[in-house]
């Protein structure tokens, strides 16, 4: 599933347009709803690397560092 | 994998792209790497529900360092000018005429002629020859000349809309320095294709001169040896690429630059200076509307608690939205340090003010995005008059962007562009010297 790293998210909302199922809302800080299909499309677009996939394979986010 | 270039730019914000285009135009082999899939940073465009939404920049200033660079490198500057600025003061819409603008604004705020004359006199003195003392905030400076809340509100709006900072936080000296720099180009415009057109046009200059732009390619480390930059490791399509470069320009913000170079390589003093940079905050509310809220392309709001300006961008560039719809951006200036819980409250206040001021907002407008710009993604990395220089303790490593334009005292896009051009010129000089030395030896 996709989670938000709270310490990094600034609430810029620039991830919102990239979710094809409108599962991301952002009002001061981004939140991912249960509608998320884990397409991982959003990961790449966060400018501060605050989106993260937490799955069986461990953690991964759009930024490598 | 290995690659060798003359110039490596990390981050494709407008500062990085200006530096890259300048150096590519001078004949240096240039590579720009960008962590995100799109270029431009804050000066970019995301299409959402048919609207070309900005990632930060509403429109560039005309006639400033940005436009000058575009002409110099032969990039297309596709920007359509906006109308004259209008202020909403005490419920009245006041046009800012090309001359005598300040008098017009003050007359709407106060009926006291003596107060207006006093302020105008002090203003021209401060702009032309007498810098106010460093420690005086703009509010304190104003209070010496007026106790009228409406007058202070006008300046608060002017400062927040142009320098993205409140009159409490900016020093009077910094404000007048800023005004001096920006005088003559308060004219601004909107890109019909969205702000991304600008970094794209600069990108074209780079690729036409055998340079490259890699998106989705974050930098992992910047390498230096004996205090001289050597290049960087870039992650590209899952592989690590070692890029050797004579000059590296970092446009990815102060904090990230430190992470990439390593604290130990930059020295305590420089890191302390970076730590003093005060980022500017902003709230940007993107609105899709089937009707205009007022009949101007932009309106500066005086006397509101948060709202600073409303831009009806499709009035200038209808191309930004499907026919029959408008793209409207409301900008707010949040107060104090923004934590996550206050952020929602600040947005609430902005929206409440929108509803109070514009009756059509609730019935016609759909809120697309509510963006808070602060911390790691601020409106600017430094407020006016407090930015740093582009050179770093590492030779041939430059920091560019709106936090690094100390010499010019400019902000936002003009500041970022100015820093890119200044760093580009300095780097070109050093590269030329290096070439000559090689030839001579």
């Amino acid at each position: 599933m996709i989670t938000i790293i709270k310490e990094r998210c600034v609430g810029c909302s620039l991830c919102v347009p990239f979710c094809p199922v409108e599962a991301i809302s952002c009002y001061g800080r981004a939140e991912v709803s249960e509608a998320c299909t884990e397409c991982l499309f959003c990961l790449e677009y966060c400018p501060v690397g605050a989106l993260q996939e937490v799955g069986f394979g461990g953690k991964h986010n759009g930024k490598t560092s | 994998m290995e690659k060798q270039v003359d110039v490596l730019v990390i981050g494709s914000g407008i500062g990085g792209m200006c530096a890259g285009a300048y150096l590519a135009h001078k004949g240096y082999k240039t590579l720009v790497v960008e962590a995100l899939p799109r270029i431009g940073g804050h000066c970019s465009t995301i299409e959402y529900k048919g609207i070309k939404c900005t990632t930060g920049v509403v429109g560039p200033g005309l006639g400033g360092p940005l436009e000058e660079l575009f002409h110099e490198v032969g990039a297309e500057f596709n920007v359509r000018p906006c109308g004259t600025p209008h202020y909403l003061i005490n419920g009245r819409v006041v046009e800012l005429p090309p001359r005598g603008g300040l008098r017009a604004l003050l007359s709407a705020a106060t009926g006291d002629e003596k107060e207006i004359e006093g302020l105008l006199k002090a203003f021209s003195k401060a702009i032309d020859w007498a810098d106010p003392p460093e420690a005086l905030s703009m509010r304190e400076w104003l209070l010496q000349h007026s106790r009228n809340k409406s007058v202070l509100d006008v300046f608060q709006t002017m400062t927040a809309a142009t320098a993205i900072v409140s009159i409490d936080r900016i020093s009077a000296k910094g404000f007048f320095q800023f005004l001096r720099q920006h005088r003559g180009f308060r004219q601004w415009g909107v890109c019909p294709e969205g702000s991304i057109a600008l970094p794209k046009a600069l990108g074209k200059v780079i690729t036409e001169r055998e340079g490259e732009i890699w998106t989705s390619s974050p930098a992992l480390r910047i390498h230096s040896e004996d205090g001289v930059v050597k290049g960087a490791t870039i992650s590209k399509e899952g592989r690590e690429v070692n890029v050797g470069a004579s000059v590296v320009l970092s446009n990815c913000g102060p904090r990230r630059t430190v992470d990439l170079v390593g604290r130990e390589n930059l020295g305590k003093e420089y890191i302390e200076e970076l730590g003093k940079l005060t980022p500017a905050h902003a709230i940007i509310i993107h609105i899709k509307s089937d009707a205009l809220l007022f009949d101007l392309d932009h309106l500066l709001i005086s006397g509101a608690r948060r709202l600073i300006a409303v831009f009806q961008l499709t009035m200038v560039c209808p191309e930004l939205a499907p026919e029959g719809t408008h793209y409207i951006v409301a900008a707010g200036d949040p107060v104090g340090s923004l934590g996550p819980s206050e952020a929602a409250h600040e947005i609430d206040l902005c929206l409440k003010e929108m509803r109070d001021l514009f009756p059509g907002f609730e019935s016609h407008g759909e809120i697309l995005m509510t963006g808070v710009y602060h911390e790691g993604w601020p409106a600017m990395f430094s407020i006016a008059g407090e930015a740093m220089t582009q050179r770093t303790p590492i030779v041939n490593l430059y920091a560019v962007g709106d936090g690094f334009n100390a010499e010019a005292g400019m902000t936002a896009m003009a500041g970022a562009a100015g820093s890119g051009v200044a760093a580009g010129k300095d780097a070109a000089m050093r590269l030329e010297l290096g070439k000559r030395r090689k030839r001579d030896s």
Side-chain angles (χ1 to χ4, degrees):
Chain A
M1 67 183 275
I2 301 292
T3 57
I4 309 285
I5 307 170
K6 286 181 183 172
E7 301 75 39
R8 284 196 192 173
C9 178
V10 299
C12 70
S13 78
L14 295 179
C15 54
V16 172
F18 294 103
C19 178
V21 294
E22 294 188 25
I24 309 179
S25 60
C26 185
Y27 199 85
R29 191 157 69 198
E31 275 174 44
V32 184
S33 78
E34 283 174 4
C36 171
T37 60
E38 293 177 35
C39 70
L40 312 187
F41 206 55
C42 59
L43 285 191
E44 276 197 278
Y45 288 92
C46 175
V48 291
L51 293 162
Q52 174 181 242
E53 182 208 1
V54 186
F56 295 113
K59 290 179 179 178
H60 168 81
N61 72 21
K63 289 250 167 70
T64 6
S65 65
Chain B
M1 219 175 109
E2 304 282 332
K3 187 174 175 70
Q4 187 66 40
V5 293
D6 295 320
V7 176
L8 171 65
V9 181
I10 299 171
S12 66
I14 201 68
M17 293 306 279
C18 283
Y22 179 84
L23 288 160
H25 180 70
K26 288 279 170 200
Y28 297 106
K29 195 175 176 195
T30 301
L31 168 66
V32 179
V33 296
E34 166 58 53
L36 295 180
R38 60 173 165 77
I39 60 164
H42 282 67
C43 183
S44 194
T45 304
I46 294 174
E47 193 149 336
Y48 186 37
K49 299 194 180 178
I51 310 260
K52 293 187 174 76
C53 295
T54 175
T55 58
V57 165
V58 176
L62 304 178
L66 183 75
E67 191 175 354
E68 279 165 26
L69 175 81
F70 270 70
H71 292 313
E72 185 172 350
V73 301
E76 190 194 3
F77 192 70
N78 188 6
V79 182
R80 214 173 283 160
C82 292
T84 51
H86 286 70
Y87 278 69
L88 185 69
I89 302 170
N90 293 335
R92 253 181 67 203
V93 175
V94 182
E95 186 182 357
L96 194 68
R99 278 178 181 279
L102 189 55
R103 182 184 291 276
L105 297 182
L106 292 175
S107 302
T110 171
D112 187 339
E113 275 302 318
K114 216 176 130 197
E115 190 183 357
I116 295 175
E117 288 309 321
L119 259 166
L120 287 173
K121 216 172 138 191
F123 213 81
S124 55
K125 180 178 151 190
I127 279 200
D128 291 333
W129 54 276
D131 267 335
E134 190 91 51
L136 212 60
S137 76
M138 189 57 197
R139 181 185 290 277
E140 287 161 343
W141 184 90
L142 285 164
L143 285 172
Q144 295 178 343
H145 307 282
S146 175
R147 295 262 154 191
N148 185 323
K149 187 184 173 291
S150 294
V151 170
L152 295 183
D153 283 345
V154 165
F155 282 98
Q156 166 59 20
T157 304
M158 186 191 295
T159 318
T162 54
I164 324 185
V165 61
S166 80
I167 52 173
D168 302 279
R169 183 58 190 80
I170 194 170
S171 71
K173 189 180 172 186
F175 177 75
F176 286 109
Q177 216 176 22
F178 169 80
L179 275 192
R180 228 174 278 147
Q181 289 295 341
H182 285 258
R183 189 145 54 163
F185 55 97
R186 58 178 180 169
Q187 264 279 327
W188 63 283
V190 183
C191 302
E193 303 156 51
S195 304
I196 198 169
L198 299 175
K200 260 192 186 167
L202 294 171
K204 201 166 160 241
V205 171
I206 295 169
T207 50
E208 277 174 359
R209 285 159 182 81
E210 286 167 41
E212 285 178 68
I213 295 164
W214 297 352
T215 50
S216 301
S217 302
L220 304 177
R221 280 176 304 280
I222 292 176
H223 306 294
S224 64
E225 234 174 72
D226 302 324
V228 181
V229 83
K230 293 290 168 198
T233 304
I234 311 299
S235 164
K236 188 177 191 266
E237 289 157 9
R239 287 199 298 178
E240 289 195 6
V241 185
N242 280 317
V243 179
S246 308
V247 166
V248 176
L249 299 110
S250 178
N251 184 218
C252 56
R255 243 188 267 173
R256 210 166 142 62
T257 302
V258 171
D259 288 345
L260 290 174
V261 182
R263 302 179 80 84
E264 65 284 3
N265 296 316
L266 284 166
K268 204 175 144 211
E269 215 178 309
Y270 183 75
I271 294 188
E272 266 174 25
E273 285 299 315
L274 280 182
K276 286 184 205 157
L277 288 179
T278 308
H281 304 150
I283 290 176
I284 301 179
I285 297 169
H286 305 257
I287 301 153
K288 181 180 182 177
S289 177
D290 55 21
L292 289 166
L293 303 181
F294 48 91
D295 59 0
L296 295 162
D297 55 39
H298 68 297
L299 183 64
L300 294 115
I301 317 288
S302 182
R305 282 179 67 195
R306 296 293 184 274
L307 201 60
I308 294 300
V310 182
F311 305 93
Q312 304 197 110
L313 299 179
T314 33
M315 257 187 104
V316 187
C317 296
E319 298 93 328
L320 295 173
E323 217 181 317
T325 54
H326 287 281
Y327 175 41
I328 300 170
V329 174
D333 177 32
V335 166
S337 69
L338 264 180
S341 54
E342 291 95 342
H345 177 63
E346 296 286 327
I347 299 169
D348 283 345
L349 286 173
C350 272
L351 289 174
K352 184 183 179 306
E353 287 175 342
M354 282 296 288
R355 284 190 292 268
D356 291 348
L357 287 169
F358 309 107
F361 172 53
E362 196 131 46
S363 46
H364 295 284
E366 176 196 348
I367 297 163
L368 294 176
M369 290 188 268
T370 54
V372 183
Y373 284 27
H374 65 140
E375 292 186 4
W377 184 255
M380 297 189 304
F381 279 103
S382 170
I383 59 177
E386 297 181 17
M388 288 177 66
T389 56
Q390 297 100 32
R391 283 193 180 186
T392 70
I394 309 271
V395 176
N396 290 350
L397 171 69
Y398 295 85
V400 295
D402 53 30
F404 301 95
N405 195 22
E407 300 87 345
M410 282 193 263
T411 55
M413 260 195 114
S419 84
V421 176
K425 285 187 176 163
D426 199 66
M429 188 190 74
R430 282 175 165 182
L431 284 165
E432 191 51 44
L433 268 177
K435 255 202 241 165
R436 240 182 265 167
R437 248 183 240 142
K438 237 185 216 166
R439 263 205 311 266
D440 294 346
S441 63

